[in-house]
Amino acid sequence: MSKIICIDPGHGGVDVGAVRGSRYEKSDNLRMAKAVKALLEPQGIKVVLTRDGDTNPSLSSRCDIANNAKADYFLSIHRNSFGNQTATGAEIWVHHAAQQSTVDKAQRILDEILSVCGKDRGVKKGYTGNPNADYAINRESNMASALLELLFISSDYDNSLYDRYFDKLAEAIAKGLCAAVGVEYGAQKPDGGTYIVKSGDSFWKIAAEQLGDGNRYKELAAFNGMTENSVIHPGDVLKLPGGGSASTPGYKTYTVKPNDSFWKIAAEQLGDGNRYKELAAFNGMTASSVIHPGDILKIPQ
């Protein structure tokens, strides 16, 4: 029987969680949860999300979802926050009376994350400021569980790490969760003729990266029996038409600086500010999307 993991993207809806400028914790949590889900499912693991949109289930409802699914493990994903930017790093919370096996599972998840980036804030028991209380996720669930605080949203440094290493952090969490339920993680690498859709992908972006020409997006969609308006999801496997080359991505990367805009970056990096819409689309965004210092953008070549 396949293992079941429930992932809870913390907050949602009117509860935005911690905030840094225009950055909301609820959005980071959901984006990471979906990315981890996309990595776990090819491992033969059934993944249940407590929310897959901008909603705000009650804490009890979130636990009910995990309990009713008879999940083997339950992880709630959050971003930490502090009054200034001095606090950084990752930590993970378990029940105040957690058995050593539960502590070990949480430690494995944290170790995988720290192998990518971040300061080690440790595995902690109980509730912030009260070691005899517990977060609802740990208190009301029937299985081994943990609440992950994945870097500080209040720290520009941590936000830069979160964005720069997003894919690696998602994989680290997936590896830790696999270990928690006794599944050997095998990196899912598509063969030469396929591509696994990632968070933020579009036909144009995939065509640009994998085929070397974003304008082949209609061809890519048709090759998979779809149209350019079809919706693709993280974890979907697309076939690549002839001419695809995963080893030649067709882009370089650029780290967003203070006061940057798509127009400014397009002007500096592409030689034409009027290509700002193309630049945004290449990164799975629109021209009105907000970019932050430390964000990593792909620059088409």
Side-chain angles (χ1 to χ4, degrees):
M1 177 180 289
S2 63
K3 298 293 185 178
I4 302 173
I5 292 176
C6 185
I7 302 178
D8 171 50
H11 307 285
V14 296
D15 177 11
V16 300
V19 177
R20 176 68 177 168
S22 60
R23 186 173 196 141
Y24 292 162
E25 180 189 355
K26 67 172 184 176
S27 301
D28 280 359
N29 296 341
L30 182 59
R31 188 162 62 100
M32 182 59 72
K34 287 185 173 181
V36 174
K37 179 178 185 288
L39 292 170
L40 287 176
E41 289 180 330
Q43 314 300 324
I45 295 173
K46 179 180 178 181
V47 181
V48 177
L49 297 181
T50 59
R51 66 180 181 95
D52 60 5
D54 192 17
T55 59
N56 184 28
S58 68
L59 292 175
S60 293
S61 294
R62 295 172 195 249
C63 294
D64 287 343
I65 291 171
N67 293 335
N68 292 337
K70 294 181 170 51
D72 297 286
Y73 196 83
F74 188 19
L75 180 69
S76 185
I77 297 178
H78 290 255
R79 298 291 311 279
N80 219 335
S81 184
F82 192 65
N84 55 50
Q85 296 198 44
T86 59
T88 65
E91 62 192 47
I92 191 165
W93 291 81
V94 297
H95 192 277
H96 78 277
Q99 297 181 354
Q100 187 59 44
S101 60
T102 297
V103 175
D104 290 343
K105 293 177 193 294
Q107 184 67 63
R108 179 60 182 274
I109 295 170
L110 185 60
D111 286 345
E112 291 287 352
I113 290 168
L114 296 174
S115 72
V116 175
C117 67
K119 175 183 176 182
D120 183 3
R121 296 177 61 87
V123 176
K124 302 183 179 182
K125 290 186 174 183
Y127 188 94
T128 303
N130 188 346
N132 297 314
D134 291 291
Y135 291 100
I137 297 301
N138 294 325
R139 184 182 65 247
E140 300 180 24
S141 54
N142 298 333
M143 68 295 297
S145 63
L147 186 148
L148 172 65
E149 294 280 11
L150 185 59
L151 306 175
F152 279 73
I153 198 170
S154 53
S155 164
D156 289 343
Y157 173 72
D158 270 14
N159 284 332
S160 70
L161 293 179
Y162 186 91
D163 295 331
R164 183 176 303 137
Y165 299 111
F166 180 87
D167 290 338
K168 291 184 178 180
L169 286 170
E171 185 174 39
I173 295 171
K175 287 180 178 179
L177 287 171
C178 279
V181 297
V183 172
E184 183 177 356
Y185 184 88
Q188 296 300 302
K189 296 180 180 179
D191 62 36
T194 61
Y195 174 82
I196 299 176
V197 177
K198 300 175 184 176
S199 176
D201 272 346
S202 66
F203 284 123
W204 199 98
K205 182 179 178 184
I206 296 168
E209 294 178 359
Q210 302 297 320
L211 305 179
D213 183 359
N215 292 318
R216 295 181 65 186
Y217 71 100
K218 292 184 179 181
E219 174 191 353
L220 174 61
F223 192 71
N224 286 272
M226 295 181 274
T227 71
E228 65 269 24
N229 296 319
S230 298
V231 178
I232 53 177
H233 306 275
D236 289 350
V237 178
L238 298 181
K239 295 181 294 182
L240 297 176
S245 175
S247 61
T248 306
Y251 66 85
K252 64 179 180 179
T253 59
Y254 174 83
T255 302
V256 177
K257 301 180 178 66
N259 300 317
D260 267 349
S261 65
F262 283 123
W263 198 98
K264 181 180 179 182
I265 296 169
E268 295 177 355
Q269 300 296 317
L270 301 176
D272 183 359
N274 291 319
R275 294 179 66 185
Y276 70 100
K277 291 184 179 179
E278 173 191 347
L279 175 61
F282 190 74
N283 286 272
M285 295 182 275
T286 69
S288 60
S289 296
V290 177
I291 53 177
H292 307 270
D295 288 352
I296 306 297
L297 297 181
K298 295 176 181 177
I299 308 297
Q301 296 291 280

